[in-house]
Amino acid sequence: MGLWGLRLTSRFNRLRRYRHIVAVLMKYGLEEVADALRSRVLVRLGEKIAPVRVKRIVEGPGRPERFRLALEELGPTFIKFGQLLSTRPDVIPIEYVQELGRLQDHVKPEPPEKIRAEVEQQLHGRIEEVFLQFDAEPLAAGSIAQVHRATTREGDSVVVKVRRPGIVQIIQAECEMLEDLAGILKLTLFQHETIDPMQMVREFAEAVFKETDLANERRNLLRFIRNFADDPTVHVPRVYEKYCTASVLTMEYIDGIRPGDPAFLREHGLDPKRVARRGADFVLKQIFELGFFHTDPHPGNFFLLPGDVLAPIDFGQVSRLSSLDRELFNEIVLAIVENEPARVVRALDRQDMVHAMTDMAKLAAGMEQLIETYRDLPVRSIPFATAVTQTFDLFRSNYVRPPSQFTLMLKTMVTIETFARSLDPEFNLIEALTPYARRASLREFEPKRLLLHMRQAVQDAGELASRLPEDVNVILSKFRQGKFQVRVQHEHLETLNKTLDKSSNRISFALIIAALLIGSSMLVAQENLQQVGMFGYFIAAVFGVWLLISIIRGGKL
């Protein structure tokens, strides 16, 4: 097949996929999204993509649930996008966050022969030569990869994570479609929210492509091994780099039990309360001390080993916190614990997270009311998840936009709190994280850090002083040459210009009509020019009616 044939096939497949997307959106009563998408694709592809018959499911489920069901039916890429949206309570309403949090990947495993071919191609040898034993039946299957148990030639028991063949190309094509869908979500489902859907799609594409790169996950895993090498409460699986590529990741097989019912753990000699605390410490250490954290610490991503040792798995979803993000979080935590709402508002403003539309007085009052709700409660009684939800509601209603990794961090902490409380109902995350926040704040005042800050400040001041004469000379030179310009921007100046332009045009039009009437009246008085004068009256009447209609339509009569 030639290049033209490949393009035609690609175009046909894209058109068929768009038809399916429109049909699913219509099925779940999201016609405004479907119509907008259809209009956009009509322009891009020049084809009609209206499904012929669609059985609609409108009654019963609410819109958030129908949105979730539509994403589930559209497949893995859209499910992952919905999962990303569920981590952004700062930009979408809480009812959507809660509903999208229920999204689950239900993916059939790849045929064994495809996985075998992928492993053999990546590791350059027949599977029987590479491994002593390789189970064709997967232990788990996800939308991006699936996991198989195996034994190395050295006799070590391992798990082999294999990327689904062709998944990168599928995700790339569907991300392009998501751009079309994201471009109209703002105008349909979230028209009253200050969301940048294209930015979210870019964040999603970056995150999901990192997840498809198993070499990146290997690097994450190696970093976790280094970070917890001296921690006896955490066991990070060993990496077998000899058996790793961008599509294959081989790591130590963990023979442990899944976190579950506390009674079940006690039967196996484990202490649920200690496991809960260690799970929280595992996440809090990453956030407050390392700035590099596992973003999905739910029970399915842990095994428990004898001695209440925690063994995390699946390192594809990680994020990083800048020092500024950690400072902001420390400030917010301590402000809530110490009942200082103004401190939170100052911290948000200082980190440039406050929008131009934000009413600072309203934000301060809302923060004060939120903190007042928990003022008289002991720290251990403050419900972290509820407080986070209320904080995001306050942020969203006041146009406060924290960075995505900051909201992902809070979502991670809510997840680990749920995990810990399932094992120990008396566990309280705020009580557990307060010492971390205090230690992090005290580290800022260590002599070594203070000296570093002072050295940086002196260096910046020195650079400013050394450049000042040159900068002043440039300014004076432009003054002398008449090239110095001052630009002033007024928010509504363009609107004013348009209004003045329209008004002057109407005045000019009115003067022309008046001149026509006067001139026509003078011509009508002369017998030989009466017809010309009558024609002038007619032209003036047409122009007058036209001017009157434009004024009435503009609502300025």
Side-chain angles (χ1 to χ4, degrees):
M1 184 183 293
L3 181 61
W4 185 85
L6 289 173
R7 287 178 178 174
L8 186 63
T9 302
S10 175
R11 182 185 175 91
F12 176 75
N13 290 336
R14 179 76 60 88
L15 177 61
R16 186 171 57 183
R17 180 62 171 149
Y18 272 121
R19 285 177 59 87
H20 176 63
I21 293 172
V22 171
V24 171
L25 293 173
M26 292 176 66
K27 172 182 175 180
Y28 289 99
L30 304 173
E31 284 91 349
E32 66 274 40
V33 186
D35 290 341
L37 179 63
R38 179 165 42 196
S39 300
R40 179 169 298 192
V41 176
L42 273 168
V43 172
R44 289 185 57 186
L45 297 182
E47 300 275 0
K48 186 175 180 181
I49 61 166
V52 180
R53 292 181 182 176
V54 176
K55 183 179 180 181
R56 287 169 171 76
I57 301 175
V58 181
E59 297 180 0
R63 171 164 289 200
E65 185 178 353
R66 285 187 276 119
F67 185 49
R68 172 182 64 81
L69 292 170
L71 292 178
E72 284 183 343
E73 189 163 332
L74 287 172
T77 306
F78 288 82
I79 289 173
K80 285 196 169 292
F81 183 61
Q83 290 170 339
L84 171 69
L85 286 175
S86 74
T87 68
R88 299 303 305 272
D90 58 316
V91 294
I92 65 171
I94 192 61
E95 58 269 21
Y96 281 91
V97 170
Q98 293 171 343
E99 192 62 46
L100 294 177
R102 299 173 55 197
L103 282 168
Q104 297 292 330
D105 263 336
H106 300 291
V107 186
K108 292 182 179 179
E110 289 283 344
E113 59 273 13
K114 283 192 174 184
I115 294 297
R116 180 188 178 95
E118 182 71 13
V119 172
E120 291 181 344
Q121 180 186 359
Q122 291 294 317
L123 300 183
H124 309 293
R126 295 183 66 241
I127 208 162
E128 294 83 2
E129 297 171 353
V130 176
F131 294 102
L132 195 63
Q133 177 267 331
F134 187 93
D135 288 352
E137 191 70 23
L139 294 173
S143 57
I144 291 176
Q146 57 190 57
V147 178
H148 296 257
R149 188 171 179 182
T151 305
T152 66
R153 302 302 298 182
E154 296 78 19
D156 294 337
S157 185
V158 296
V159 291
V160 183
K161 188 172 185 178
V162 186
R163 187 170 67 191
R164 288 177 178 268
I167 191 64
V168 175
Q169 293 77 11
I170 292 171
I171 290 176
Q172 186 172 1
E174 299 219 324
C175 279
E176 292 176 6
M177 296 181 190
L178 268 175
E179 288 184 10
D180 288 321
L181 189 58
I184 59 176
L185 281 176
K186 171 67 177 174
L187 303 176
T188 52
L189 294 184
F190 309 127
Q191 65 267 37
H192 301 302
E193 304 291 334
T194 55
I195 299 177
D196 181 0
M198 296 305 295
Q199 177 63 29
M200 297 196 71
V201 168
R202 285 191 290 270
E203 289 177 11
F204 165 73
E206 182 181 356
V208 77
F209 279 119
K210 281 184 179 179
E211 199 174 343
T212 61
D213 182 7
L214 298 189
N216 181 64
E217 183 172 349
R218 175 176 56 84
R219 290 189 292 271
N220 295 338
L221 182 48
L222 290 171
R223 184 167 178 177
F224 270 92
I225 290 173
R226 291 194 303 270
N227 289 342
F228 290 92
D230 300 325
D231 190 339
T233 68
V234 177
H235 177 80
V236 182
R238 172 190 169 191
V239 179
Y240 289 78
E241 297 197 53
K242 175 183 174 182
Y243 302 94
C244 295
T245 69
S247 296
V248 175
L249 172 63
T250 304
M251 68 181 83
E252 173 189 358
Y253 175 75
I254 302 296
D255 187 14
I257 65 172
R258 295 282 191 182
D261 181 67
F264 175 77
L265 298 187
R266 282 191 287 268
E267 288 176 5
H268 287 77
L270 299 170
D271 183 346
K273 289 189 176 184
R274 186 185 295 174
V275 170
R277 181 61 196 231
R278 287 181 174 180
D281 285 338
F282 171 71
V283 170
L284 296 174
K285 178 181 178 180
Q286 295 169 51
I287 289 173
F288 284 95
E289 298 177 8
L290 304 173
F292 179 79
F293 63 100
H294 195 299
T295 62
D296 197 19
H298 65 79
N301 279 336
F302 290 105
F303 281 105
L304 300 178
L305 301 175
D308 303 316
V309 174
L310 205 69
I313 59 172
D314 194 354
F315 298 86
Q317 298 183 37
V318 301
S319 187
R320 292 164 179 80
L321 284 173
S322 69
S323 58
L324 290 177
D325 293 334
R326 282 181 277 170
E327 286 175 17
L328 174 63
F329 185 58
N330 293 345
E331 194 84 359
I332 290 175
V333 169
L334 294 177
I336 292 174
V337 171
E338 296 169 8
N339 297 318
E340 297 182 43
R343 187 173 167 185
V344 178
V345 177
R346 286 196 303 270
L348 294 171
D349 194 21
R350 194 163 56 245
Q351 299 289 355
D352 199 26
M353 295 180 186
V354 179
H355 195 273
M357 297 170 61
T358 302
D359 183 336
M360 297 298 287
K362 181 183 174 185
L363 175 61
M367 187 58 66
E368 185 174 357
Q369 183 179 0
L370 176 61
I371 291 180
E372 184 69 29
T373 305
Y374 304 107
R375 185 186 296 275
D376 298 325
L377 292 177
V379 171
R380 66 177 298 107
S381 300
I382 298 176
F384 181 79
T386 304
V388 167
T389 300
Q390 292 172 338
T391 301
F392 278 132
D393 285 342
L394 181 66
F395 282 2
R396 191 172 62 253
S397 61
N398 287 278
Y399 309 106
V400 176
R401 289 290 172 263
S404 59
Q405 62 269 23
F406 185 83
T407 57
L408 193 57
M409 172 200 64
L410 290 178
K411 181 77 172 178
T412 298
M413 296 179 73
V414 170
T415 303
I416 199 62
E417 184 195 39
T418 304
F419 165 69
R421 288 181 68 87
S422 70
L423 300 175
D424 178 11
E426 296 180 358
F427 177 84
N428 182 271
L429 188 62
I430 293 183
E431 188 177 41
L433 66 82
T434 301
Y436 283 92
R438 292 194 189 281
R439 285 199 299 271
S441 296
L442 289 174
R443 277 198 298 271
E444 293 299 314
F445 296 98
E446 292 175 353
K448 191 175 182 180
R449 283 179 176 266
L450 287 174
L451 185 62
L452 181 63
H453 292 327
M454 289 176 62
R455 186 184 302 163
Q456 186 65 48
V458 170
Q459 184 179 348
D460 291 344
E463 288 180 4
L464 178 63
S466 65
R467 290 168 51 189
L468 186 60
E470 182 182 349
D471 292 341
V472 171
N473 187 43
V474 170
I475 293 171
L476 291 176
S477 176
K478 288 190 175 182
F479 259 123
R480 285 193 296 269
Q481 297 172 15
K483 295 180 179 179
F484 190 81
Q485 297 180 348
V486 178
R487 296 180 181 177
V488 179
Q489 182 176 356
H490 190 286
E491 287 187 8
H492 305 292
L493 191 59
E494 186 178 349
T495 304
L496 178 62
N497 285 338
K498 289 181 179 179
T499 303
L500 291 174
D501 188 43
K502 186 182 292 186
S503 299
S504 62
N505 287 340
R506 287 179 177 176
I507 292 171
S508 301
F509 219 58
L511 289 174
I512 293 171
I513 294 171
L516 279 171
L517 289 173
I518 294 171
S520 298
S521 298
M522 293 174 64
L523 293 173
V524 167
Q526 301 182 30
E527 292 185 6
N528 57 339
L529 295 175
Q530 284 183 350
Q531 290 184 347
V532 177
M534 294 300 294
F535 183 71
Y537 278 140
F538 175 74
I539 296 297
V542 172
F543 283 0
V545 172
W546 187 7
L547 178 61
L548 182 62
I549 290 173
S550 69
I551 293 173
I552 293 173
R553 282 184 175 177
K556 303 293 183 183
L557 186 62

